[in-house]
Amino acid sequence: VTTPAFPPDRLAAWRAYLESSQRLLTRLDDELRATSDLSFADYHVLLLLSEAPAGRLRMGELAARLIFSPSRLTYQINSMQRRGLVVRESCVRDRRGYEAVLTPAGRDALRAAATPHLAWVDQMFLNDLDEAEVAWLARIFTRLDSRLRATAVGTAADTPEEGREDARDHG
Amino acid sequence: VTTPAFPPDRLAAWRAYLESSQRLLTRLDDELRATSDLSFADYHVLLLLSEAPAGRLRMGELAARLIFSPSRLTYQINSMQRRGLVVRESCVRDRRGYEAVLTPAGRDALRAAATPHLAWVDQMFLNDLDEAEVAWLARIFTRLDSRLRATAVGTAADTPEEGREDARDHG
DNA sequence: CAAGATTGAGCCATCAATCTTT
DNA sequence: AAAGATTGATGGCTCAATCTTG
């Protein structure tokens, strides 16, 4: 392929990052499913809910943090509710909205999965990095994250509490 | 089960990496679809074929490089064949096998997509990194990739304590 | 009407079963 | 029998349309 002006070392770094990340994510999901009957999506939902006050989060907020589309989250929460990991409750403050709420069973499932999962991550990735590498990793990807947030489609880079979203000429 | 006392800075680095990578991959795919009518999977197939001798690769080899399951690749190639980007040909040396072959239209599509795609990657990620960061990125992820390859499913894998269960009762 | 969320149709991905060739 | 690849059923994800509340 013809990519004339691109510095080869940057391209090589990009491709190494891209390929190993895809491989890592795939294996992560396989490992989680094999040891805990949880997908990576399940795990991530449980993790975010467990860190939220009262173990509950608005659907939209949860979707934004997971980087899920609204309908994907609806599907995901339905599936988890069927399995007893979360329940969906109508929101009192704003009756348009719903909240996903962590159940005791969900908390147990997360607790059970977390230790082997983190051990796997450590063994597969983190443990192999020295202090300097960890620092560079954090530095590079923290900056990437702000860059991506700053250029989001309907952006307001800094809206910690509630909705952002801008529906332009859509409907 | 021993709980590994997890250093907070390592955990933070891991989560920054994980979240921004997911965000990046999502946006990458959106951007590609918007500017070229190619998904990231399409693009990756075209890229690998364009780099292969005679623009052709065995299905299994291609699947392994893309980190795709065999049936996912079959589906993907069917879709791309329908759109004229590749053709599937029976393999002469080993008649069990098939090869995916890049068409001229496929090569054109890749050429057209590559420049804006790489420009996007540069603007969103690479351009923001200095030389040292690029070097660390390549170093970290090249090593991760070999680590992941070395512990692939077929090879004598050392998984974290907690023997691998055979959980196949649920799809 | 705009925003939060869900629904339905259709596309994509996975698992197990199958077919062919070695 | 084992390896390469595809098929069919099923589950997961996206888009556009819809319903409800602000």
Side-chain angles (χ1 to χ4, degrees):
Chain A
V1 105
T2 71
T3 60
F6 222 88
D9 59 325
R10 300 201 160 228
L11 195 53
W14 165 248
R15 290 182 67 169
Y17 159 65
L18 202 54
E19 182 174 346
S20 55
S21 294
Q22 299 217 137
R23 205 178 293 275
L24 182 63
L25 261 355
T26 302
R27 295 276 295 275
L28 195 60
D29 193 61
D30 292 347
E31 196 59 29
L32 220 33
R33 295 183 120 100
T35 65
S36 72
D37 285 322
L38 252 33
S39 69
F40 180 57
D42 296 332
Y43 182 87
H44 202 176
V45 169
L46 294 177
L47 179 63
L48 293 183
L49 287 180
S50 78
E51 292 173 344
R56 60 172 60 221
L57 236 28
R58 286 286 294 265
M59 297 296 277
E61 175 64 18
L62 187 51
R65 295 201 200 175
L66 290 163
I67 317 165
F68 274 27
S69 69
S71 41
R72 180 176 178 187
L73 183 61
T74 294
Y75 185 91
Q76 176 72 35
I77 293 297
N78 280 340
S79 159
M80 294 179 75
Q81 183 164 23
R82 235 177 280 123
R83 289 177 287 154
L85 301 171
V86 300
V87 292
R88 188 200 321 267
E89 287 181 10
S90 183
C91 183
V92 202
R93 291 248 321 140
D94 180 348
R95 298 183 54 80
R96 293 173 301 182
Y98 286 82
E99 290 173 328
V101 187
L102 193 56
T103 63
R107 212 175 277 277
D108 289 348
L110 176 60
R111 216 184 347 250
T115 299
H117 169 64
L118 288 174
W120 187 88
V121 170
D122 186 48
Q123 172 175 342
M124 229 45 169
F125 186 33
L126 293 179
N127 185 52
D128 194 43
L129 305 180
D130 62 31
E131 289 307 315
E133 289 168 330
V134 171
W136 284 103
L137 191 73
R139 177 185 153 123
I140 291 170
F141 288 100
T142 299
R143 227 167 60 228
L144 173 60
D145 200 57
S146 14
R147 202 172 177 83
L148 288 170
R149 286 168 182 278
T151 58
V153 265
T155 263
D158 183 345
T159 315
E161 282 238 311
E162 285 247 340
R164 30 187 196 52
E165 295 263 358
D166 177 15
R168 304 183 64 109
D169 51 290
H170 177 58
Chain B
V1 181
T2 72
T3 305
F6 225 92
D9 60 323
R10 299 202 161 224
L11 195 52
W14 165 248
R15 290 183 67 170
Y17 159 65
L18 203 54
E19 181 175 346
S20 54
S21 294
Q22 300 217 134
R23 205 179 292 275
L24 182 63
L25 261 356
T26 302
R27 294 276 295 274
L28 196 59
D29 194 61
D30 292 348
E31 196 61 28
L32 218 33
R33 296 182 119 100
T35 65
S36 71
D37 285 321
L38 252 35
S39 69
F40 180 58
D42 296 332
Y43 182 88
H44 203 176
V45 169
L46 294 176
L47 180 62
L48 292 183
L49 287 180
S50 79
E51 293 173 343
R56 61 174 59 221
L57 235 28
R58 287 288 293 266
M59 296 297 276
E61 175 64 18
L62 187 51
R65 295 202 200 174
L66 290 163
I67 318 166
F68 273 27
S69 69
S71 41
R72 179 175 178 188
L73 183 61
T74 295
Y75 183 92
Q76 175 72 34
I77 293 296
N78 280 339
S79 158
M80 294 180 74
Q81 183 163 25
R82 236 176 280 123
R83 288 176 289 156
L85 301 171
V86 301
V87 293
R88 188 200 322 266
E89 287 181 11
S90 182
C91 183
V92 201
R93 294 252 317 143
D94 180 348
R95 297 181 53 80
R96 293 173 303 182
Y98 286 82
E99 290 174 328
V101 187
L102 193 56
T103 63
R107 211 176 278 275
D108 290 347
L110 176 61
R111 211 177 359 244
T115 300
H117 169 63
L118 288 174
W120 186 89
V121 170
D122 186 47
Q123 172 179 340
M124 228 46 169
F125 187 32
L126 293 180
N127 185 52
D128 194 45
L129 304 180
D130 62 32
E131 289 307 316
E133 289 169 330
V134 171
W136 284 103
L137 191 72
R139 177 184 152 124
I140 291 170
F141 288 100
T142 300
R143 228 166 61 228
L144 174 60
D145 200 58
S146 11
R147 201 171 177 84
L148 288 169
R149 286 168 182 279
T151 58
V153 272
T155 71
D158 49 345
T159 53
E161 71 248 83
E162 190 90 342
R164 298 161 40 84
E165 273 223 330
D166 206 323
R168 65 182 53 186
D169 55 305
H170 188 283

